[in-house]
Amino acid sequence: GSEVKELKEACPATVIKKVRPGAPSLSLNPTGNAPSVTGAGRQWTPRETTLKDDITFVRLTEVKLSEIADHMSDPRLAEHMPLLTSTWDTDVAAGFVAKKEDCWARDGLGHWALLADGQYVGWGGFQKEGEEWDFGLVLRPEAFGLGRRIAIKAIEFAMADERIPFVTFLLPPSRKNLGALRRLGARQIGEIEYDGSVFLKFRLDTE
């Protein structure tokens, strides 16, 4: 999928699929930016991973390259990202952001930076692969607790888009805890291999 290709140079992760700019559940404007961020002056910490966290999606260009590079350099990410083998610095991060912005220009949709109370906690979003939309989610390890909430927002976003009849996820076999994914209604439909690594493919109907 598109995310796997990106991860050869960047990183693999979860994959969902589909979307529309402007879905009401995400409070996005047509450019894919959040119109406002509340609590932006407050420092986010892992112990604040509760329902009070304000989750917003903004363009990657709104985040410092050093934050993205620091995030992607965390060795804990590689445990579940077999294609994440290169070292990240601000130059690599700049190239990554540029490619994601190219997707926005081409498809009208792409990946966002994810904020919790205005603080960067990871990136994720949608990228078109053929006739499908793949969704990738890569969080800072200390923000893993926000993954379910972010994934649900993304699924609601997909459901709001009439062009998106289903969503797909790609996961490495090292991800053993798949209960939450199945509870959402996703089912495994096969496996794919890319650059010597195997990924499990799931599908979730959104119609």
Side-chain angles (χ1 to χ4, degrees):
S2 61
E3 193 61 26
V4 173
K5 294 177 182 177
E6 281 291 341
L7 295 179
K8 183 177 181 182
E9 306 168 63
C11 51
T14 322
V15 172
I16 300 178
K17 161 186 204 173
K18 317 162 175 230
V19 161
R20 160 189 73 141
S25 62
L26 291 182
S27 300
L28 298 176
N29 64 28
T31 66
N33 294 312
S36 63
V37 178
T38 59
R42 188 158 68 84
Q43 180 67 35
W44 184 86
T45 61
R47 62 178 175 275
E48 294 176 351
T49 306
T50 67
L51 290 177
K52 72 179 185 303
D53 291 313
D54 178 40
I55 304 298
T56 51
F57 292 14
V58 302
R59 294 286 274 271
L60 284 161
T61 51
E62 297 186 32
V63 175
K64 293 180 179 178
L65 294 175
S66 58
E67 286 197 77
I68 298 173
D70 179 69
H71 168 207
M72 298 308 299
S73 296
D74 192 314
R76 291 172 290 180
L77 294 183
E79 295 178 10
H80 297 297
M81 301 172 71
L83 301 183
L84 180 58
T85 58
S86 61
T87 301
W88 278 64
D89 56 21
T90 54
D91 289 337
V92 174
F96 169 74
V97 172
K99 288 180 180 179
K100 297 304 185 185
E101 285 298 296
D102 286 345
C103 292
W104 277 96
R106 182 187 68 224
D107 304 319
L109 188 62
H111 286 94
W112 295 283
L114 310 173
L115 308 181
D117 293 336
Q119 302 300 314
Y120 173 77
V121 294
W123 60 270
F126 303 83
Q127 185 166 309
K128 196 168 187 180
E129 176 71 10
E131 297 302 316
E132 301 180 345
W133 288 98
D134 291 331
F135 171 75
L137 177 61
V138 183
L139 296 175
R140 286 184 179 275
E142 59 268 25
F144 283 170
L146 295 173
R148 183 174 182 276
R149 288 178 58 200
I150 293 171
I152 288 174
K153 278 180 174 285
I155 292 170
E156 291 175 349
F157 191 49
M159 288 179 173
D161 191 336
E162 295 181 354
R163 300 170 303 170
I164 301 169
F166 62 91
V167 166
T168 61
F169 305 74
L170 296 179
L171 297 172
S174 61
R175 296 287 296 274
K176 303 298 183 183
N177 187 8
L178 303 176
L181 187 61
R182 292 194 171 100
R183 284 193 293 274
L184 290 174
R187 67 184 189 280
Q188 185 173 350
I189 59 174
E191 298 181 352
I192 67 168
E193 182 176 341
Y194 184 78
D195 201 25
S197 295
V198 175
F199 295 87
L200 309 179
K201 185 172 184 178
F202 291 80
R203 169 171 168 153
L204 172 64
D205 293 329
T206 55
E207 290 186 329

